[in-house]
Protein backbone atom coordinates (compact mmCIF):
# COMPACT_ATOMS: atom_id res chain seq x y z
CA UNK A 1 0.00 0.00 0.00
CA UNK A 2 1.19 3.57 -0.66
CA UNK A 3 1.38 4.81 2.94
CA UNK A 4 1.52 8.57 2.36
CA UNK A 5 -0.21 11.13 0.11
CA UNK A 6 1.16 11.22 -3.42
CA UNK A 7 2.10 14.59 -4.90
CA UNK A 8 3.33 15.55 -8.36
CA UNK A 9 1.88 15.66 -11.87
CA UNK A 10 0.10 12.27 -11.66
CA UNK A 11 -1.96 13.29 -8.63
CA UNK A 12 -4.02 16.03 -10.24
CA UNK A 13 -7.54 17.18 -9.42
CA UNK A 14 -10.11 19.28 -11.33
CA UNK A 15 -8.62 22.46 -9.89
CA UNK A 16 -4.94 21.68 -10.37
CA UNK A 17 -5.04 20.26 -13.90
CA UNK A 18 -4.66 22.90 -16.60
CA UNK A 19 -5.83 22.46 -20.16
CA UNK A 20 -2.29 22.95 -21.47
CA UNK A 21 -1.22 19.95 -19.36
CA UNK A 22 -3.41 17.57 -21.35
CA UNK A 23 -4.10 19.28 -24.70
CA UNK A 24 -1.36 19.35 -27.33
CA UNK A 25 -2.03 21.25 -30.55
CA UNK A 26 -0.85 19.26 -33.56
CA UNK A 27 2.04 21.19 -35.17
CA UNK A 28 1.62 22.12 -38.84
CA UNK A 29 4.63 19.90 -39.78
CA UNK A 30 2.80 16.85 -38.40
CA UNK A 31 -0.35 17.62 -40.37
CA UNK A 32 1.83 18.06 -43.50
CA UNK A 33 3.51 14.68 -42.90
CA UNK A 34 0.11 13.01 -42.50
CA UNK A 35 -1.21 14.54 -45.72
CA UNK A 36 1.95 13.45 -47.55
CA UNK A 37 1.53 9.96 -46.09
CA UNK A 38 -2.01 9.88 -47.47
CA UNK A 39 -0.68 10.61 -50.96
CA UNK A 40 2.12 8.02 -50.63
CA UNK A 41 -0.26 5.31 -49.48
CA UNK A 42 -2.68 6.22 -52.28
CA UNK A 43 0.01 5.44 -54.87
CA UNK A 44 1.69 2.63 -52.99
CA UNK A 45 -0.78 0.93 -50.66
CA UNK A 46 0.17 -1.35 -47.75
CA UNK A 47 -2.37 -3.16 -45.53
CA UNK A 48 -2.78 -1.29 -42.20
CA UNK A 49 -1.33 -3.95 -39.96
CA UNK A 50 1.81 -4.27 -42.12
CA UNK A 51 2.53 -0.55 -41.92
CA UNK A 52 5.73 0.40 -40.16
CA UNK A 53 6.32 4.06 -39.27
CA UNK A 54 10.05 3.60 -39.92
CA UNK A 55 9.23 3.28 -43.65
CA UNK A 56 7.83 6.83 -43.92
CA UNK A 57 8.91 10.45 -43.36
CA UNK A 58 7.23 11.00 -40.02
CA UNK A 59 9.87 12.71 -37.86
CA UNK A 60 7.58 15.48 -36.58
CA UNK A 61 4.86 12.94 -35.76
CA UNK A 62 7.40 10.78 -33.94
CA UNK A 63 8.46 13.77 -31.81
CA UNK A 64 4.82 14.60 -31.07
CA UNK A 65 3.94 11.03 -30.09
CA UNK A 66 7.06 10.88 -27.91
CA UNK A 67 5.72 13.90 -26.01
CA UNK A 68 2.32 12.16 -25.74
CA UNK A 69 3.98 9.11 -24.22
CA UNK A 70 5.98 11.26 -21.80
CA UNK A 71 2.81 12.98 -20.55
CA UNK A 72 1.02 9.63 -20.31
CA UNK A 73 3.67 8.13 -18.05
CA UNK A 74 5.20 11.12 -16.22
CA UNK A 75 2.48 13.77 -16.63
CA UNK A 76 -1.27 13.74 -16.05
CA UNK A 77 -1.88 10.36 -17.77
CA UNK A 78 -4.46 11.86 -20.13
CA UNK A 79 -3.59 13.62 -23.39
CA UNK A 80 -5.56 14.99 -26.32
CA UNK A 81 -3.84 15.76 -29.61
CA UNK A 82 -5.71 18.56 -31.34
CA UNK A 83 -6.00 17.27 -34.05
CA UNK A 84 -5.57 14.83 -36.98
CA UNK A 85 -6.69 16.44 -40.30
CA UNK A 86 -9.21 13.64 -40.95
CA UNK A 87 -11.14 15.68 -43.52
CA UNK A 88 -8.00 15.88 -45.68
CA UNK A 89 -7.57 12.09 -45.78
CA UNK A 90 -8.85 10.11 -48.77
CA UNK A 91 -11.14 7.59 -47.12
CA UNK A 92 -11.92 5.57 -44.01
CA UNK A 93 -9.18 2.92 -44.56
CA UNK A 94 -6.61 5.73 -44.83
CA UNK A 95 -7.83 7.25 -41.55
CA UNK A 96 -7.37 3.85 -39.91
CA UNK A 97 -3.87 3.56 -41.36
CA UNK A 98 -2.88 6.98 -40.02
CA UNK A 99 -4.34 6.17 -36.60
CA UNK A 100 -2.52 2.83 -36.57
CA UNK A 101 0.83 4.47 -37.35
CA UNK A 102 0.43 7.30 -34.81
CA UNK A 103 -0.83 4.90 -32.14
CA UNK A 104 2.00 2.44 -32.71
CA UNK A 105 4.46 5.27 -32.00
CA UNK A 106 2.95 5.61 -28.50
CA UNK A 107 2.93 1.91 -27.65
CA UNK A 108 2.65 -1.58 -29.15
CA UNK A 109 -0.95 -2.23 -30.29
CA UNK A 110 -2.53 -5.42 -28.92
CA UNK A 111 -5.74 -7.42 -29.37
CA UNK A 112 -8.84 -6.05 -27.60
CA UNK A 113 -11.35 -8.90 -27.78
CA UNK A 114 -11.46 -12.67 -27.58
CA UNK A 115 -12.15 -12.66 -31.33
CA UNK A 116 -8.83 -11.01 -32.14
CA UNK A 117 -9.92 -7.45 -33.00
CA UNK A 118 -7.06 -4.94 -32.87
CA UNK A 119 -8.85 -1.73 -33.88
CA UNK A 120 -12.43 -1.53 -32.64
CA UNK A 121 -15.25 0.91 -33.30
CA UNK A 122 -16.58 2.54 -30.14
CA UNK A 123 -20.17 3.17 -31.17
CA UNK A 124 -23.71 2.35 -30.08
CA UNK A 125 -24.65 -0.96 -31.70
CA UNK A 126 -28.15 -0.78 -30.20
CA UNK A 127 -27.54 -3.58 -27.68
CA UNK A 128 -28.60 -3.02 -24.11
CA UNK A 129 -25.86 -2.90 -21.44
CA UNK A 130 -26.01 -6.07 -19.36
CA UNK A 131 -23.70 -8.77 -18.07
CA UNK A 132 -21.73 -10.08 -21.04
CA UNK A 133 -21.95 -6.89 -23.17
CA UNK A 134 -18.85 -4.69 -23.36
CA UNK A 135 -19.55 -1.00 -22.69
CA UNK A 136 -17.91 0.29 -25.88
CA UNK A 137 -20.77 -1.25 -27.90
CA UNK A 138 -23.46 0.78 -26.05
CA UNK A 139 -24.47 4.41 -25.43
CA UNK A 140 -24.85 4.16 -21.63
CA UNK A 141 -22.95 6.39 -19.21
CA UNK A 142 -19.66 4.91 -18.05
CA UNK A 143 -18.25 6.30 -14.83
CA UNK A 144 -14.44 6.65 -14.84
CA UNK A 145 -12.89 3.18 -15.09
CA UNK A 146 -9.88 1.41 -16.52
CA UNK A 147 -10.38 -0.62 -19.69
CA UNK A 148 -10.29 -4.40 -19.40
CA UNK A 149 -9.98 -4.47 -15.59
CA UNK A 150 -11.62 -7.91 -15.90
CA UNK A 151 -8.89 -9.49 -18.03
CA UNK A 152 -5.59 -10.97 -16.92
CA UNK A 153 -3.60 -8.48 -19.02
CA UNK A 154 -5.27 -5.05 -19.30
CA UNK A 155 -3.64 -2.59 -21.70
CA UNK A 156 -1.11 -0.03 -20.41
CA UNK A 157 -2.48 2.72 -22.64
CA UNK A 158 -5.72 3.30 -24.55
CA UNK A 159 -6.11 5.58 -27.56
CA UNK A 160 -9.22 6.87 -29.29
CA UNK A 161 -9.61 8.75 -32.55
CA UNK A 162 -12.88 10.67 -32.72
CA UNK A 163 -14.56 10.52 -36.12
CA UNK A 164 -17.98 11.85 -35.07
CA UNK A 165 -19.48 13.10 -31.81
CA UNK A 166 -22.99 12.38 -30.52
CA UNK A 167 -25.97 14.64 -31.25
CA UNK A 168 -26.31 15.17 -27.48
CA UNK A 169 -24.02 14.14 -24.62
CA UNK A 170 -21.06 11.77 -24.61
CA UNK A 171 -18.60 14.10 -22.80
CA UNK A 172 -15.37 12.39 -21.75
CA UNK A 173 -14.42 12.38 -18.08
CA UNK A 174 -11.12 11.50 -16.39
CA UNK A 175 -9.86 10.89 -12.89
CA UNK A 176 -6.40 10.24 -11.45
CA UNK A 177 -6.46 7.11 -9.32
CA UNK A 178 -3.51 8.59 -7.42
CA UNK A 179 -5.85 11.40 -6.31
CA UNK A 180 -8.59 8.87 -5.53
CA UNK A 181 -6.03 6.98 -3.45
CA UNK A 182 -5.05 10.21 -1.63
CA UNK A 183 -8.69 10.89 -0.66
CA UNK A 184 -9.22 7.31 0.50
CA UNK A 185 -6.02 7.39 2.53
CA UNK A 186 -7.00 10.65 4.24
CA UNK A 187 -10.69 9.98 4.78
CA UNK A 188 -11.30 6.19 4.63
CA UNK A 189 -8.04 4.34 5.38
CA UNK A 190 -9.90 1.21 6.53
CA UNK A 191 -11.73 1.01 3.16
CA UNK A 192 -8.47 1.53 1.29
CA UNK A 193 -6.95 -1.50 2.96
CA UNK A 194 -9.82 -3.69 1.65
CA UNK A 195 -9.28 -2.32 -1.88
CA UNK A 196 -5.80 -3.90 -1.90
CA UNK A 197 -7.45 -7.33 -1.55
CA UNK A 198 -9.28 -9.14 -4.39
CA UNK A 199 -12.75 -8.46 -5.78
CA UNK A 200 -14.67 -10.56 -8.29
CA UNK A 201 -15.16 -9.03 -11.72
CA UNK A 202 -17.33 -10.34 -14.54
CA UNK A 203 -15.45 -10.95 -17.80
CA UNK A 204 -18.06 -9.30 -20.02
CA UNK A 205 -18.49 -12.16 -22.45
CA UNK A 206 -14.84 -12.33 -23.50
CA UNK A 207 -14.04 -15.85 -22.30
CA UNK A 208 -14.42 -19.37 -23.73
CA UNK A 209 -17.04 -21.76 -22.32
CA UNK A 210 -14.38 -23.84 -20.54
CA UNK A 211 -13.02 -20.77 -18.69
CA UNK A 212 -14.28 -19.16 -15.46
CA UNK A 213 -16.70 -16.28 -16.05
CA UNK A 214 -15.05 -14.12 -13.40
CA UNK A 215 -11.58 -12.98 -12.35
CA UNK A 216 -10.49 -12.18 -8.79
CA UNK A 217 -8.03 -9.28 -8.54
CA UNK A 218 -7.42 -6.39 -6.11
CA UNK A 219 -8.65 -2.93 -7.13
CA UNK A 220 -5.28 -1.42 -6.12
CA UNK A 221 -1.89 -2.98 -6.32
CA UNK A 222 1.65 -1.68 -6.57
CA UNK A 223 3.48 -2.44 -9.79
CA UNK A 224 7.16 -2.16 -10.65
CA UNK A 225 8.71 1.00 -9.17
CA UNK A 226 5.82 1.12 -6.69
CA UNK A 227 3.62 2.60 -9.40
CA UNK A 228 -0.08 2.35 -8.74
CA UNK A 229 -2.04 -0.23 -10.78
CA UNK A 230 -5.79 0.12 -10.60
CA UNK A 231 -8.46 -2.35 -11.71
CA UNK A 232 -11.71 -0.54 -11.15
CA UNK A 233 -14.83 -0.67 -13.29
CA UNK A 234 -18.10 0.24 -11.68
CA UNK A 235 -20.17 -2.28 -13.65
CA UNK A 236 -17.99 -5.38 -13.65
CA UNK A 237 -17.45 -5.66 -9.86
CA UNK A 238 -21.11 -6.05 -8.75
CA UNK A 239 -21.66 -8.13 -11.93
CA UNK A 240 -18.71 -10.31 -10.88
CA UNK A 241 -20.28 -11.06 -7.50
CA UNK A 242 -23.60 -11.79 -9.22
CA UNK A 243 -22.10 -14.24 -11.73
CA UNK A 244 -19.85 -15.85 -9.12
CA UNK A 245 -22.93 -16.34 -6.94
CA UNK A 246 -21.10 -14.76 -4.00
CA UNK A 247 -22.73 -12.16 -1.80
CA UNK A 248 -20.59 -9.09 -1.03
CA UNK A 249 -19.84 -9.01 2.69
CA UNK A 250 -20.26 -5.72 4.54
CA UNK A 251 -16.58 -4.77 4.37
CA UNK A 252 -16.43 -5.45 0.60
CA UNK A 253 -19.64 -3.55 -0.13
CA UNK A 254 -18.56 -0.50 1.91
CA UNK A 255 -15.13 -0.44 0.25
CA UNK A 256 -16.69 -0.66 -3.24
CA UNK A 257 -19.31 2.00 -2.49
CA UNK A 258 -16.73 4.36 -1.00
CA UNK A 259 -14.46 3.87 -4.01
CA UNK A 260 -17.36 4.61 -6.36
CA UNK A 261 -18.29 7.78 -4.48
CA UNK A 262 -14.73 9.12 -4.58
CA UNK A 263 -14.14 8.16 -8.24
CA UNK A 264 -17.28 10.05 -9.26
CA UNK A 265 -16.55 13.15 -7.15
CA UNK A 266 -16.72 16.07 -9.62
CA UNK A 267 -13.94 17.84 -7.67
CA UNK A 268 -11.52 15.13 -8.82
CA UNK A 269 -12.63 14.90 -12.48
CA UNK A 270 -11.56 16.61 -15.66
CA UNK A 271 -14.21 16.77 -18.38
CA UNK A 272 -14.30 17.70 -22.07
CA UNK A 273 -16.02 16.65 -25.27
CA UNK A 274 -13.94 15.16 -28.05
CA UNK A 275 -14.28 16.75 -31.47
CA UNK A 276 -13.81 14.97 -34.82
CA UNK A 277 -10.11 14.43 -35.54
CA UNK A 278 -9.04 14.69 -31.89
CA UNK A 279 -6.89 11.87 -30.58
CA UNK A 280 -7.30 10.94 -26.94
CA UNK A 281 -4.78 8.88 -24.98
CA UNK A 282 -4.99 7.62 -21.43
CA UNK A 283 -2.66 5.76 -19.08
CA UNK A 284 -4.86 2.77 -18.28
CA UNK A 285 -2.87 1.75 -15.20
CA UNK A 286 -3.67 4.72 -12.98
CA UNK A 287 -5.90 7.14 -14.89
CA UNK A 288 -9.62 6.40 -15.19
CA UNK A 289 -11.68 7.45 -18.18
CA UNK A 290 -15.43 7.52 -18.62
CA UNK A 291 -18.11 9.22 -20.65
CA UNK A 292 -21.58 10.58 -20.23
CA UNK A 293 -24.52 8.79 -21.85
CA UNK A 294 -25.40 10.11 -25.26
CA UNK A 295 -28.10 10.31 -27.90
CA UNK A 296 -27.22 9.81 -31.54
CA UNK A 297 -28.52 11.56 -34.59
CA UNK A 298 -31.38 9.47 -36.12
CA UNK A 299 -29.29 9.22 -39.32
CA UNK A 300 -27.05 6.13 -38.83
CA UNK A 301 -24.34 7.79 -40.94
CA UNK A 302 -24.04 10.53 -38.28
CA UNK A 303 -23.76 8.30 -35.21
CA UNK A 304 -21.05 8.95 -32.62
CA UNK A 305 -18.02 6.97 -33.76
CA UNK A 306 -14.55 6.55 -32.30
CA UNK A 307 -11.77 4.18 -33.32
CA UNK A 308 -9.88 2.58 -30.44
CA UNK A 309 -6.49 0.95 -30.02
CA UNK A 310 -5.03 -0.71 -26.94
CA UNK A 311 -1.31 -0.65 -26.23
CA UNK A 312 0.71 -2.94 -23.98
CA UNK A 313 4.45 -3.52 -23.92
CA UNK A 314 4.53 -6.71 -21.83
CA UNK A 315 3.46 -10.25 -22.74
CA UNK A 316 2.09 -11.47 -26.06
CA UNK A 317 -0.07 -9.38 -28.37
CA UNK A 318 -3.10 -11.64 -27.95
CA UNK A 319 -6.11 -10.82 -25.74
CA UNK A 320 -4.73 -12.93 -22.92
CA UNK A 321 -1.30 -11.39 -23.41
FE1 LIG B 1 -13.34 2.47 -21.45
Amino acid sequence: MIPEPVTGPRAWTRDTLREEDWRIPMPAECAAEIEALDRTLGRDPVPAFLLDAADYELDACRTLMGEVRRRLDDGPGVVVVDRVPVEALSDRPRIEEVFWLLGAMVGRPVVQTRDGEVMVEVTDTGVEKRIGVRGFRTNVAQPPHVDNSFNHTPPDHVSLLCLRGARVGGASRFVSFYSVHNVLLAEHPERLERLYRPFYQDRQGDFWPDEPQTVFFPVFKLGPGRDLRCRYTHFTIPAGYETAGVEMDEETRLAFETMTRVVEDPALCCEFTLEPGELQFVNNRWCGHGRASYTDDPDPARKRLMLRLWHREGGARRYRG
Side-chain angles (χ1 to χ4, degrees), residues 96-154:
E96 293 181 9
E97 288 155 17
V98 166
F99 180 38
W100 169 262
L101 282 170
L102 295 176
M105 290 176 188
V106 171
R108 184 185 68 165
V110 295
V111 165
Q112 306 188 36
T113 66
R114 187 192 69 167
D115 298 327
E117 292 166 281
V118 175
M119 189 181 291
V120 303
E121 288 191 344
V122 176
T123 196
D124 181 20
T125 58
V127 292
E128 207 173 300
K129 180 66 184 146
R130 56 181 155 74
I131 290 178
V133 173
R134 303 258 303 256
F136 70 86
R137 305 192 200 274
T138 75
N139 66 350
V140 299
Q142 295 190 323
H145 61 280
V146 298
D147 271 5
N148 213 214
S149 61
F150 49 87
N151 189 12
H152 291 87
T153 48

Side-chain angles (χ1 to χ4, degrees), residues 254-273:
L254 287 172
F256 174 70
E257 287 175 2
T258 307
M259 176 80 183
T260 297
R261 212 168 45 244
V262 176
V263 166
E264 297 184 31
D265 180 350
L268 293 189
C269 289
C270 151
E271 211 174 282
F272 53 81
T273 300

Side-chain angles (χ1 to χ4, degrees), residues 207-282:
F207 58 96
W208 294 102
D210 61 348
E211 294 178 320
Q213 197 174 336
T214 57
V215 294
F216 195 52
F217 289 118
V219 166
F220 286 124
K221 118 179 179 182
L222 295 185
R226 296 181 62 76
D227 280 356
L228 195 59
R229 296 285 174 103
C230 184
R231 282 179 183 266
Y232 169 82
T233 302
H234 177 263
F235 184 84
T236 59
I237 293 177
Y241 279 80
E242 195 180 325
T243 18
V246 175
E247 203 174 322
M248 275 195 196
D249 59 38
E250 182 79 346
E251 186 193 22
T252 303
R253 187 180 59 76
L254 287 172
F256 174 70
E257 287 175 2
T258 307
M259 176 80 183
T260 297
R261 212 168 45 244
V262 176
V263 166
E264 297 184 31
D265 180 350
L268 293 189
C269 289
C270 151
E271 211 174 282
F272 53 81
T273 300
L274 274 185
E275 302 289 338
E278 287 183 335
L279 258 177
Q280 171 189 303
F281 298 88
V282 67

Side-chain angles (χ1 to χ4, degrees), residues 177-237:
F177 283 116
Y178 279 100
S179 297
V180 169
H181 194 282
N182 283 347
V183 171
L184 291 167
L185 183 66
E187 297 175 11
H188 311 280
E190 71 293 355
R191 308 278 177 255
L192 183 58
E193 192 274 323
R194 171 65 187 91
L195 293 164
Y196 275 87
R197 287 186 272 124
F199 286 72
Y200 286 101
Q201 293 201 47
D202 184 81
R203 292 174 77 180
Q204 300 299 289
D206 269 314
F207 58 96
W208 294 102
D210 61 348
E211 294 178 320
Q213 197 174 336
T214 57
V215 294
F216 195 52
F217 289 118
V219 166
F220 286 124
K221 118 179 179 182
L222 295 185
R226 296 181 62 76
D227 280 356
L228 195 59
R229 296 285 174 103
C230 184
R231 282 179 183 266
Y232 169 82
T233 302
H234 177 263
F235 184 84
T236 59
I237 293 177

Side-chain angles (χ1 to χ4, degrees), residues 78-100:
V78 50
V79 181
V80 171
V81 172
D82 176 14
R83 60 184 194 87
V84 177
V86 281
E87 68 291 336
L89 300 177
S90 311
D91 54 16
R92 166 68 185 269
R94 197 58 45 73
I95 291 172
E96 293 181 9
E97 288 155 17
V98 166
F99 180 38
W100 169 262

